[in-house]
Amino acid sequence: MAASTDTTAAAPSSTLRHASGNILAFFILLLIGVLAFSIRLFSVIKYESVIHEFDPYFNYRVTQFLTKSGVYDFWNWFDDRTWYPLGRVIGGTVYPGLTLTAGTMWKVLQMLNIPLSVETVCVFTAPVFSAFAAWATYLLTKEVKGVGAGLTAAVLLAMVPSYISRSVAGSYDNEAVAIFALIFTFYLYIKTLNTGSLFYATLNSMAYFYMVCSWGGYTFIINLIPMHVLLCIVTGRYSPRLYIAYAPLVVLGTLMAALVPVVGFNAVMTSEHFASFLVFIIIHVVALAYYIKGILSPKMFKVAVTLVVSVGLVVCCAVVAVLIAVVASSPTKGWSGRSLSLLDPTYASKYIPIIASVSEHQPPTWPSYFMDINILAFLVPAGIIACFSPLSDASSFVILYIVMSAYFSGVMVRLMLVFAPAACIMSGIALSEAFDVFTRSIKFYAFQAVDTVSVSTVSPQNNVVETDKKEDVLKERPSRKNKKKEKETVEKPLKKSEKEKRPLILPVEASAIALFLTVLLGAFYVVHSVWAAAEAYSAPSIVLTSHTRDGLHVFDDFREAYAWLSHNTHVDDKVASWWDYGYQTTAMANRTVIVDNNTWNNTHIATVGTAMSSPEKAAWEIFNSLDVKYVLVVFGGLVGYSSDDINKFLWMVRIGGGVFPHIKEPDYLRDGQYRIDSQATPTMLNSLMYKLSYFRFVETDGGKGYDRVRGTEIGKKHFKLTHFEEVFTTHHWMVRIYKLKPQRNRIRGKTKKSRSSKMSSTKTRTITKKNPWH
Amino acid sequence: MRGLFTKIHICLTSQSSKSQHCSVPIQTSRTLKMAKISIATVFIALISLLLTLTHSFSTENPTDRRILVLLDDLALKSSHSIFFNSLQSRGFELDFKLSDDPKIALQRYGQYLYDGLILFSPTTERFGGSLDVAAVLDFVDSGKDLIVAADASASDLIRSIAAECGVDFDEDPSAVVIDHGSYAVSGTEGDHTLIAADDFIKSDVLLGSTKIEAPVLFKGIGHSLNPANSLVLKVLSASPSAYSANPKSKLSTPPSLSGSSISLVSVVQARNNARAVFSGSLDLFSNKFFKSPVQKAGSSNKYAKSGNEQFVTELSKWVFHERGHLKAVNVKHHRVGETDEPAIYRINDDLEYSVEIYEWSGSSWEPYVANDVQVQFYMMSPYVLKTMSTDKKGLYHASFKVPDVYGVFQFKVEYQRLGYTSLSLAKQIPVRPFRHNEYERFIPTAFPYYGASFSTMAAFFIFSFVYLYSK
């Protein structure tokens, strides 16, 4: 839309036209920023200004620590309140980009005497950075296809639902800043590629450093850019600009990446980074070849080529052999689990239950594509086609980007986030091109109708302006040094394209209707995005709401439970729960947890999983050995909250069984079915998780014990806890907290026991007779 | 009681002197007012005294003071007077009640009125007042002590109290312990139910340091203990020839209890260090047995006096915490060369750990001397286990290096010795890895790499110089 106004604001004086266009573009960008920020505020308006979900709570806690203790203490922070008793070296295991960003923002605001709390800054970090991301998208797309495409892409990105889902106010997670860093790095790469300027190349490696600081997804960059370089070399598009865009990035980028504690030597030791080094070697070989080609005569060159190719092949074979050897001997067998699951989508679910158990590591479904990128899905192919006419270095990069990210998003739903900017850029290009064609046709006919005489003069003039503008973007911008040299080469294709370019003119009715329909399409996109931002993605997930006929119900059980813990337990007490709630417990209740969402130690998680799947006594012993005082379970059976621990229970069994083989998944399934009703297996009904979830549950509905999530009556209704005691259950029973009973003060003698055991044994005998299922 | 009165007296004098001292500036005021003040101070002193009385069982003074004695028959008071007198002479305040007295109450307003309970009422089926099995067990679970004497025809009540503590009296109600091997020789042949037992537990803490020479006379029922139960101890076992049966009827089936697995007297130390003595014989405590001469069958040694008095007295000292009660105080740890306790250690730090352990002697805390107190540096399993050295004045000390593992560790002292109260200290301390600037800056083995990088830099500089200015 903006593109059309910009391009059609044709004035006789091109400088005036440029100036007004630039001012217009500036204000449009400003508005895009406001849009990107404000569309993400639904969560604050509808709920409150709180941190969302799980990981953001950890980031928030880290940021609090940073603002209190400073950067060095943060760097060296050994956290003894999580992963008890192992502890966690936070400074060395966390991507510090987000935290440092928010911490700096807070510090700057403090210095300006704007007394915002750390929490407020954290809540609004993501919306602010999505505005930045929109602007970065503008810059990137501008480099590829011009200002119009840039503005359109920026608008689309400002409200693409996929990105909104991760960056609403309160969603204080790495992705919030990482997407901006990703796009900005790509922009600087393209910028360097187009200008060949070392300045931008340096900036590029700094942006890459910021990305490495922010998110593990930086490996996408360090694989995508080498791929593009390789593509350029293979398609004969090698140029010194490519070299300048790539070589400094690898060297500086790798050096700086190694400075980030969490990456460290991984930057040169894991195979995710090897592609960049391989391409680094290749580009040098190619550069040498081009150099030699320049100084030798064609004949000599042919001789040299045969010589070099034969020698080069040998060297390459040696290098490949070395690389394979290094990969095979590197600590993680070359590839880390998460990366392997990218290449082989079934890898994780086969071998690593802890990765497979996370819902965002699952492959997405088709509807989720429509939900997350909406009409962009249809516009992307058009954008790809537009990128092919003409194919430049920049547009080939964008094509590669969308192809790769489309593949990865199909593997892991979380990577939809990387796909969304690419889709926005492509759709921006497509829409902009479409608007270009439609408005040009309409203008062409309009001029024709007004002044038939001037048609012949206007249209080519218009045409020249168009192509001129495009060339301005597409042409290989020479750096100052070799401006003169390059000018000659640049002028030739310019003249050529002028001759070849024939403007595509459509019938005016068709273009008017098409224009209308395109605007309508855009409008649908806006409607969908606003709906997604307002309804689908704004729930903070620690406060839940439901609409019924009686009105709005708010379920604030999580905070109720955490507040109870923080007020009623000793500050050094250990709370065990499934790892999902670890971050929240440490951040909101300030209590030590056994495992949390940073799933770095599988054995420890498996220990908790085993305890949850064991009978009461065994579980008590496991928890007691870990000094656990309280056990927290999330239970949704009363209000129908479906992501509760019973639904996650099979994962606990699987993860526990992966390390402790006495826990076997089939013991918890009846004929392969997971059930908690009267048909459930005795192992299931005796497991700690079942007991803690359904203890006293039967009292809530007068003896039926109807679980609203599973939609059945529970299997075992009346039972007592021997080793645990209930200490707190929230209002809607969503969180239940149990305390480990202390060891018995006395040990009973036999006489009493033998009597009772006799009685119980006779009881069980009668039961077995009655119950045909045993 | 005399001691208490003197205490009150001292308090009174001190308080009144204080009030006089206070009233010095207002010398002109009427003496009536002064009297009022002094009455008030006396009242306050009394109240504070009462408070100290109710808290008499404290960590600072673990010996019990007030003991409730429940009897079947008040005649027991005189027939067992030696035992009671020895308690009273040691400063205990005994409160004798019939076991079916309706006014029996162990606690009032949530406070226990007694620190110990002696149940010399083996036949009582039901206690009077609010007392029942659960109340007795709650009494034990709150750290108070208990002496239970059963006898032939012990009631279910006594049996169930014992069973709850891990002592299983023979279930046959008519069975008593019979020993044809080591019975006490008496004038008449008898049925050998009066046993001269001398198989004591070998523990100075339980039975005192002076050896009990004479056998102990026992007449009553036996009990068995679950060997897996670590909280109960056989103090007096029957001889291998003993068995538990009804002496009046013929033995048709093998006796359920026989040999040295029969325990005659057992002690229980609960996890909260409450102590209890279970005896199968009430007569064990009686004046008659205390004074009677004893000769074990098959032995030529004839003792003028049985070992009962010594045995019972020593055991009562143990059960009422006059012996074998340890306390650990002043747990300190710090880096070598420092005195302040750090909030966190670093891996490979050298540290010192010390703790003071004292034993209660009945009147004061004496240094506890042993060479087997160990400290653990523990994270899921002990990384360091070290025996602490002692200066014989109660101070135990160890110094060691923090292992090269970070995490949340605990200093643990788990000291469980026969007869002593269990010491279980745990102090949490995190251990962090090196800070970023605590690593060595230059590693000798890496010098080739330093050389390589610096020579490359130099070479590049020379190369650029030559390349740029070689024309």
Side-chain angles (χ1 to χ4, degrees):
Chain A
M1 279 174 268
S4 59
T5 50
D6 191 53
T7 45
T8 52
S13 157
S14 72
T15 47
L16 185 65
R17 195 189 51 124
H18 269 292
S20 60
N22 282 344
I23 289 170
L24 203 57
F26 174 76
F27 279 106
I28 290 170
L29 277 178
L30 210 63
L31 285 176
I32 289 172
V34 172
L35 170 71
F37 182 81
S38 53
I39 201 171
R40 287 166 168 82
L41 299 185
F42 279 108
S43 62
V44 173
I45 294 161
K46 288 183 71 177
Y47 295 90
E48 57 189 294
S49 175
V50 285
I51 307 283
H52 290 196
E53 295 199 335
F54 306 109
D55 287 22
Y57 268 96
F58 170 73
N59 297 327
Y60 169 50
R61 182 164 161 259
V62 174
T63 314
Q64 273 183 320
F65 184 86
L66 171 72
T67 51
K68 252 182 239 159
S69 316
V71 176
Y72 280 104
D73 279 350
F74 164 55
W75 185 2
N76 293 306
W77 185 18
F78 173 71
D79 187 5
D80 58 342
R81 299 193 71 76
T82 163
W83 288 95
Y84 182 85
L86 305 169
R88 179 184 169 193
V89 187
I90 299 273
T93 57
V94 81
Y95 285 99
L98 175 77
T99 319
L100 289 175
T101 308
T104 316
M105 275 162 57
W106 180 81
K107 203 93 195 229
V108 169
L109 288 170
Q110 292 290 308
M111 284 194 310
L112 297 173
N113 283 331
I114 304 174
L116 285 181
S117 69
V118 178
E119 190 183 5
T120 315
V121 174
C122 293
V123 165
F124 290 104
T125 301
V128 167
F129 268 80
S130 51
F132 293 166
W135 295 333
T137 310
Y138 162 76
L139 292 171
L140 173 58
T141 321
K142 197 184 98 181
E143 284 302 312
V144 179
K145 276 284 171 184
V147 177
L151 289 173
T152 322
V155 173
L156 292 175
L157 185 102
M159 49 189 180
V160 62
S162 168
Y163 185 30
I164 286 177
S165 74
R166 292 316 194 89
S167 63
V168 291
S171 181
Y172 179 57
D173 210 346
N174 289 338
E175 289 93 332
V177 297
I179 291 303
F180 157 72
L182 180 86
I183 300 170
F184 197 62
T185 312
F186 286 156
Y187 156 67
L188 284 168
Y189 171 68
I190 298 292
K191 184 83 182 169
T192 325
L193 198 56
N194 281 344
T195 57
S197 137
L198 258 181
F199 171 69
Y200 283 113
T202 317
L203 278 189
N204 187 21
S205 36
M206 291 203 342
Y208 172 66
F209 174 59
Y210 185 64
M211 177 69 191
V212 177
C213 282
S214 306
W215 196 32
Y218 75 90
T219 46
F220 183 65
I221 296 183
I222 205 62
N223 283 306
L224 185 67
I225 289 180
M227 250 184 247
H228 177 244
V229 171
L230 206 60
L231 185 76
C232 283
I233 290 170
V234 169
T235 54
R237 292 179 151 273
Y238 171 79
S239 65
R241 289 170 289 106
L242 188 68
Y243 183 84
I244 286 174
Y246 185 65
L249 174 70
V250 172
V251 177
L252 289 179
T254 305
L255 277 178
M256 287 200 276
L259 294 181
V260 181
V262 62
V263 178
F265 280 107
N266 284 351
V268 287
M269 282 175 69
T270 58
S271 48
E272 285 103 323
H273 305 82
F274 285 168
S276 63
F277 302 136
L278 192 66
V279 173
F280 187 69
I281 296 167
I282 292 172
I283 200 172
H284 276 92
V285 172
V286 171
L288 191 71
Y290 272 84
Y291 177 70
I292 292 170
K293 195 182 181 181
I295 55 171
L296 288 183
S297 65
K299 239 183 198 176
M300 286 289 284
F301 183 67
K302 256 185 190 171
V303 176
V305 161
T306 45
L307 192 76
V308 167
V309 162
S310 49
V311 173
L313 270 179
V314 173
V315 172
C316 273
C317 286
V319 167
V320 166
V322 167
L323 268 183
I324 289 170
V326 170
V327 167
S329 68
S330 75
T332 53
K333 274 281 168 222
W335 295 83
S336 63
R338 281 197 172 89
S339 310
L340 271 176
S341 72
L342 284 180
L343 294 179
D344 174 13
T346 55
Y347 175 84
S349 52
K350 266 190 228 154
Y351 303 110
I352 316 170
I354 206 153
I355 291 181
S357 73
V358 181
S359 61
E360 60 183 25
H361 292 160
Q362 304 290 341
T365 53
W366 285 113
S368 72
Y369 274 97
F370 188 72
M371 174 71 194
D372 276 357
I373 57 172
N374 202 242
I375 62 152
L376 306 187
F378 312 120
L379 291 172
V380 163
I384 294 176
I385 291 167
C387 280
F388 272 108
S389 57
L391 187 70
S392 65
D393 291 348
S395 62
S396 67
F397 176 76
V398 183
I399 293 165
L400 194 66
Y401 177 21
I402 189 125
V403 170
M404 295 314 295
S405 60
Y407 169 71
F408 287 130
S409 72
V411 173
M412 220 189 239
V413 72
R414 187 185 189 186
L415 294 178
M416 197 77 118
L417 199 57
V418 179
F419 176 59
C424 287
I425 292 165
M426 281 302 176
S427 313
I429 290 169
L431 275 181
S432 160
E433 291 285 316
F435 277 123
D436 243 14
V437 171
F438 298 146
T439 49
R440 188 169 58 219
S441 325
I442 290 172
K443 207 166 64 180
F444 178 74
Y445 283 105
F447 275 107
Q448 207 176 32
V450 172
D451 191 1
T452 41
V453 186
S454 61
V455 166
S456 53
T457 50
V458 168
S459 74
Q461 195 189 358
N462 197 15
N463 191 12
V464 169
V465 168
E466 283 292 318
T467 45
D468 204 28
K469 179 136 186 56
K470 214 161 274 165
E471 286 307 324
D472 193 37
V473 178
L474 293 180
K475 79 175 173 198
E476 301 139 344
R477 287 187 192 170
S479 64
R480 273 176 213 165
K481 265 191 181 174
N482 34 3
K483 217 172 197 174
K484 281 175 195 169
K485 276 187 196 170
E486 291 225 345
K487 225 171 196 179
E488 292 159 29
T489 54
V490 167
E491 262 162 36
K492 274 177 202 166
L494 208 153
K495 277 174 192 166
K496 239 187 230 172
S497 69
E498 239 179 278
K499 277 179 204 164
E500 284 171 3
K501 270 254 163 164
R502 287 279 173 275
L504 178 64
I505 307 294
L506 294 172
V508 66
E509 297 85 4
S511 32
I513 291 169
L515 196 63
F516 173 71
L517 288 178
T518 320
V519 171
L520 202 66
L521 196 65
F524 277 126
Y525 175 70
V526 173
V527 169
H528 172 79
S529 299
V530 171
W531 171 82
E535 299 295 332
Y537 291 137
S538 280
S541 96
I542 54 158
V543 186
L544 305 162
T545 55
S546 82
H547 293 275
T548 59
R549 266 169 289 158
D550 319 333
L552 183 73
H553 287 273
V554 178
F555 302 99
D556 204 358
D557 286 37
F558 286 107
R559 286 194 290 181
E560 187 186 348
Y562 295 130
W564 185 89
L565 274 179
S566 75
H567 286 115
N568 294 285
T569 59
H570 187 262
V571 75
D572 278 333
D573 282 348
K574 282 87 192 167
V575 181
S577 65
W578 190 231
W579 57 265
D580 294 29
Y581 317 106
Y583 279 163
Q584 291 182 349
T585 310
T586 37
M588 284 202 264
N590 190 22
R591 291 295 171 270
T592 310
V593 295
I594 305 300
V595 291
D596 68 22
N597 310 45
N598 175 266
T599 50
W600 66 275
N601 187 323
N602 191 31
T603 313
H604 220 50
I605 293 184
T607 308
V608 174
T610 305
M612 292 294 190
S613 2
S614 301
E616 233 183 298
K617 187 162 187 248
W620 186 92
E621 274 159 14
I622 292 172
F623 281 142
N624 192 52
S625 72
L626 291 168
D627 298 329
V628 168
K629 273 273 178 62
Y630 296 92
V631 180
L632 180 152
V633 293
V634 171
F635 171 63
L638 186 70
V639 289
Y641 172 63
S642 62
S643 56
D644 65 349
D645 278 347
I646 289 285
N647 274 3
K648 292 171 186 168
F649 183 53
L650 265 194
W651 288 111
M652 303 184 203
V653 172
R654 276 176 204 157
I655 292 170
V659 178
F660 302 101
H662 69 276
I663 302 288
K664 295 183 195 72
E665 191 178 335
D667 292 348
Y668 297 83
L669 303 174
R670 171 76 69 196
D671 303 328
Q673 274 186 313
Y674 180 63
R675 51 200 312 168
I676 46 95
D677 55 6
S678 51
Q679 312 267 312
T681 60
T683 322
M684 174 73 210
L685 295 179
N686 283 320
S687 66
L688 183 71
M689 182 47 75
Y690 179 90
K691 284 191 164 180
L692 297 192
S693 288
Y694 293 115
F695 180 61
R696 293 201 305 115
F697 179 57
V698 72
E699 294 167 22
T700 55
D701 58 355
K704 265 167 86 193
Y706 184 78
D707 184 318
R708 293 195 191 177
V709 175
R710 267 61 61 174
T712 53
E713 278 187 34
I714 59 172
K716 195 164 151 190
K717 293 175 183 175
H718 302 278
F719 55 87
K720 278 184 182 168
L721 296 175
T722 52
H723 291 76
F724 294 82
E725 59 180 325
E726 183 187 7
V727 287
F728 187 67
T729 295
T730 56
H731 187 243
H732 300 99
W733 284 52
M734 278 168 60
V735 185
R736 313 194 67 187
I737 300 170
Y738 292 84
K739 189 177 182 178
L740 268 74
K741 280 188 188 165
Q743 236 179 336
R744 291 187 66 87
N745 192 33
R746 297 165 276 106
I747 300 176
R748 259 197 216 146
K750 266 189 243 165
T751 33
K752 195 113 187 194
K753 241 184 197 173
S754 64
R755 265 180 216 162
S756 62
S757 68
K758 265 179 210 163
M759 276 165 71
S760 65
S761 64
T762 51
K763 253 185 200 171
T764 46
R765 249 175 247 151
T766 52
I767 287 168
T768 45
K769 271 173 197 167
K770 272 178 195 168
N771 195 339
W773 293 100
H774 284 268
Chain B
M1 264 338 254
R2 193 174 293 153
L4 289 181
F5 277 123
T6 52
K7 228 180 191 175
I8 291 172
H9 186 70
I10 291 161
C11 280
L12 270 178
T13 49
S14 68
Q15 288 297 325
S16 54
S17 68
K18 228 180 218 169
S19 65
Q20 270 173 9
H21 188 73
C22 286
S23 59
V24 169
I26 42 164
Q27 268 175 345
T28 48
S29 68
R30 282 165 296 178
T31 47
L32 212 154
K33 198 176 179 182
M34 259 179 66
K36 253 186 189 171
I37 291 168
S38 61
I39 286 169
T41 48
V42 167
F43 207 70
I44 288 165
L46 272 175
I47 286 172
S48 60
L49 201 77
L50 264 175
L51 282 175
T52 54
L53 272 179
T54 51
H55 286 287
S56 64
F57 184 90
S58 65
T59 49
E60 274 314 299
N61 183 6
T63 302
D64 306 347
R65 285 295 144 203
R66 296 154 311 153
I67 294 162
L68 176 67
V69 186
L70 293 186
L71 307 168
D72 270 345
D73 182 354
L74 279 176
L76 284 172
K77 201 173 161 182
S78 53
S79 67
H80 291 63
S81 62
I82 299 179
F83 171 60
F84 294 134
N85 286 338
S86 84
L87 287 179
Q88 274 166 336
S89 69
R90 298 211 306 268
F92 292 99
E93 184 188 330
L94 301 185
D95 193 355
F96 296 94
K97 285 213 167 99
L98 276 176
S99 58
D100 52 359
D101 188 335
K103 284 182 201 149
I104 297 174
L106 280 179
Q107 54 180 336
R108 183 183 294 160
Y109 309 127
Q111 293 281 350
Y112 277 107
L113 299 170
Y114 304 98
D115 307 311
L117 181 63
I118 297 178
L119 294 179
F120 279 180
S121 53
T123 57
T124 311
E125 287 294 347
R126 236 187 130 140
F127 293 121
S130 60
L131 199 63
D132 56 3
V133 177
V136 172
L137 294 172
D138 283 345
F139 186 71
V140 174
D141 286 345
S142 60
K144 315 289 184 189
D145 305 321
L146 180 68
I147 295 179
V148 177
D151 214 339
S153 73
S155 66
D156 277 350
L157 180 77
I158 298 296
R159 284 168 190 274
S160 65
I161 290 174
E164 283 290 334
C165 294
V167 173
D168 301 315
F169 283 112
D170 194 342
E171 281 185 66
D172 183 359
S174 56
V176 294
V177 184
I178 306 168
D179 195 336
H180 300 301
S182 57
Y183 55 90
V185 177
S186 61
T188 55
E189 182 51 22
D191 50 8
H192 298 167
T193 54
L194 180 65
I195 295 166
D198 54 2
D199 188 1
F200 304 110
I201 191 168
K202 283 167 192 62
S203 165
D204 287 354
V205 190
L206 283 162
L207 297 178
S209 49
T210 48
K211 194 169 176 277
I212 301 172
E213 298 288 340
V216 168
L217 288 170
F218 181 93
K219 187 185 173 73
I221 55 174
H223 57 261
S224 65
L225 307 176
N226 182 1
N229 188 341
S230 56
L231 302 177
V232 292
L233 288 173
K234 259 186 229 175
V235 178
L236 186 63
S237 318
S239 73
S241 57
Y243 63 97
S244 173
N246 186 352
K248 293 190 182 78
S249 67
K250 233 179 165 186
L251 207 59
S252 53
T253 52
S256 56
L257 295 176
S258 64
S260 52
S261 73
I262 300 179
S263 173
L264 304 175
V265 177
S266 296
V267 293
V268 176
Q269 180 166 281
R271 289 207 168 88
N272 65 350
N273 290 332
R275 288 171 172 174
V277 171
F278 289 90
S279 160
S281 161
L282 179 57
D283 293 336
L284 184 82
F285 300 90
S286 67
N287 296 356
K288 189 181 148 206
F289 278 25
F290 276 20
K291 286 176 185 160
S292 112
V294 62
Q295 184 187 5
K296 193 174 164 184
S299 159
S300 56
N301 286 351
K302 194 176 162 95
Y303 300 94
K305 195 162 167 270
S306 74
N308 283 33
E309 183 168 6
Q310 193 190 350
F311 175 73
V312 167
T313 311
E314 295 297 337
L315 207 55
S316 72
K317 278 185 184 166
W318 179 84
V319 78
F320 291 131
H321 290 271
E322 284 173 78
R323 198 166 50 221
H325 189 99
L326 299 179
K327 75 165 179 183
V329 290
N330 283 337
V331 177
K332 279 182 193 157
H333 59 88
H334 53 81
R335 290 196 184 91
V336 171
E338 292 176 23
T339 50
D340 290 339
E341 188 173 298
I344 191 166
Y345 282 108
R346 197 197 66 193
I347 54 173
N348 297 334
D349 265 350
D350 288 303
L351 64 83
E352 288 178 349
Y353 177 87
S354 67
V355 60
E356 288 171 36
I357 302 179
Y358 296 100
E359 185 185 357
W360 180 248
S361 69
S363 54
S364 64
W365 290 102
E366 302 293 336
Y368 176 71
V369 181
N371 57 5
D372 55 356
V373 185
Q374 290 182 316
V375 62
Q376 305 173 30
F377 202 55
Y378 181 94
M379 181 177 78
M380 296 206 277
S381 60
Y383 278 73
V384 173
L385 177 62
K386 201 156 188 198
T387 307
M388 292 198 277
S389 57
T390 175
D391 66 348
K392 317 255 174 193
K393 286 173 191 157
L395 183 75
Y396 287 80
H397 171 270
S399 62
F400 54 89
K401 198 183 199 65
V402 176
D404 198 0
V405 178
Y406 57 79
V408 183
F409 281 81
Q410 283 174 320
F411 288 110
K412 268 195 176 183
V413 175
E414 294 283 343
Y415 192 68
Q416 266 121 16
R417 286 292 171 275
L418 188 80
Y420 285 104
T421 54
S422 59
L423 279 185
S424 176
L425 308 175
K427 194 163 189 183
Q428 184 176 315
I429 186 83
V431 173
R432 63 169 173 81
F434 286 113
R435 283 174 68 90
H436 68 278
N437 53 3
E438 282 174 339
Y439 292 96
E440 270 184 277
R441 173 122 291 194
F442 294 106
I443 312 167
T445 47
F447 269 102
Y449 297 97
Y450 304 142
S453 50
F454 281 105
S455 60
T456 309
M457 280 150 77
F460 181 73
F461 180 75
I462 294 165
F463 168 76
S464 338
F465 193 80
V466 170
Y467 186 81
L468 290 174
Y469 299 101
S470 63
K471 275 172 194 173

